[in-house]
Amino acid sequence: MPQPTATLEDLTRIMAQSPGCPICHYGRQAGHAFLEGLLYESVNDFGLRQQLVQSLGFCAFHSQETLSFPGARLGAAILERAMLKEALRRVQRQAPARRSRLRRAHGDLSPTLDDCPVCQHERGAERRAIEELLGHWDDDWAGALENVGGLCYNHLHQAIRLSPDKKRASQLKAIHQRLWQALIDHLDAFIRKHDYRFRHEPISDEETEAIREAILILTGERTS
Ligand SMILES: [Zn+2]
Ligand SMILES: [Zn+2]
């Protein structure tokens, strides 16, 4: 039996603490730690500054997150100052586009998820976590994953794609078939009980919560 890695230990801890997609939670934690290190230690790193100038900073989510580290306002201020100067430089060079050229051109865009270095770091961490999970897959992992409500859509999609064989992919599909069908059933009941003919039937907490769970599956756990 291979030794559990640090990533697997983190995933075990995450699944014991929080419901919802453990890969999302793992990625968020990795991104948070990366951003913190970056603000405290790397604001003057030339390569990173170049990358941030290219992307005009972080995505909206991670830009807001820079404000969540009370001791890192100086680092955030140094970076935002550099990005704002770059934004001003681009605006000053910009001319009205001819109608035929009103297309998205490189360098004219706001930061996107593809450019943000923290998002890139999160995606790398998430992929490694999925590979670890698949590499050490057994009944205990399957049970633990089902207990927290499974993976979000995006990470399930990735996990199926990265599965080493069809058997592993079938197990993942079977777990999520059960979990998501149960949610669909709760949503069906919630919708049905809004019909005046069935209004006397009480709506359960699970049926009320099913909407929120469906949103988290489809969009990931980023907002939590
Ligand atoms: Zn996820
Ligand atoms: Zn980002």
Side-chain angles (χ1 to χ4, degrees):
M1 188 76 190
Q3 284 296 308
T5 62
T7 302
L8 279 183
E9 284 172 2
D10 285 346
L11 284 172
T12 308
R13 181 178 45 76
I14 285 167
M15 288 207 257
Q17 287 172 350
S18 347
C21 177
I23 305 297
C24 281
H25 291 309
Y26 182 84
R28 285 290 305 114
Q29 290 181 13
H32 189 81
F34 177 74
L35 186 57
E36 187 174 24
L38 191 153
L39 289 172
Y40 280 107
E41 291 154 24
S42 311
V43 283
N44 292 316
D45 180 281
F46 181 74
L48 180 80
R49 283 281 280 273
Q50 288 289 100
Q51 191 184 354
L52 282 168
V53 164
Q54 274 292 315
S55 67
L56 271 191
F58 307 107
C59 69
F61 182 87
H62 288 122
S63 295
Q64 290 296 326
E65 194 176 25
T66 60
L67 303 178
S68 71
F69 305 98
R73 288 266 166 157
L74 176 61
I78 291 169
L79 288 178
E80 292 304 324
R81 174 182 175 277
M83 300 327 130
L84 197 54
K85 278 183 75 173
E86 169 64 14
L88 198 53
R89 190 187 68 82
R90 291 189 195 184
V91 166
Q92 293 296 353
R93 285 161 43 129
Q94 194 183 2
R98 283 190 227 140
R99 289 200 67 77
S100 61
R101 290 193 183 165
L102 278 176
R103 274 179 270 130
R104 299 169 108 208
H106 184 72
D108 291 344
L109 299 169
S110 296
T112 69
L113 297 185
D114 285 345
D115 298 323
C116 171
V118 188
C119 283
Q120 286 173 3
H121 184 84
E122 286 187 7
R123 278 198 297 273
E126 288 162 4
R127 187 188 162 109
R128 283 194 300 281
I130 290 171
E131 285 170 345
E132 290 274 351
L133 193 61
L134 291 169
H136 293 79
W137 184 261
D138 60 18
D139 288 347
D140 286 347
W141 278 109
L145 187 60
E146 191 152 359
N147 266 337
V148 295
L151 301 173
C152 68
Y153 173 78
N154 275 334
H155 289 135
L156 177 60
H157 185 269
Q158 263 191 69
I160 290 169
R161 200 161 50 81
L162 294 170
S163 283
D165 50 45
K166 283 194 172 163
K167 184 164 172 248
R168 196 76 39 96
S170 303
Q171 288 171 330
L172 281 168
K173 288 180 192 180
I175 289 171
H176 291 83
Q177 175 70 39
R178 282 195 294 278
L179 289 167
W180 294 2
Q181 187 56 54
L183 265 188
I184 291 167
D185 292 345
H186 287 323
L187 288 168
D188 279 344
F190 183 85
I191 295 162
R192 186 178 60 80
K193 289 175 185 177
H194 279 71
D195 186 307
Y196 73 95
R197 289 169 296 170
F198 308 109
R199 283 230 168 122
H200 60 281
E201 293 183 35
I203 296 174
S204 71
D205 290 346
E206 279 179 321
E207 288 158 5
T208 305
E209 278 299 294
I211 304 167
R212 199 183 66 82
E213 287 182 43
I215 290 170
L216 291 176
I217 285 169
L218 293 168
T219 64
E221 300 273 345
R222 167 160 280 205
T223 53
S224 63

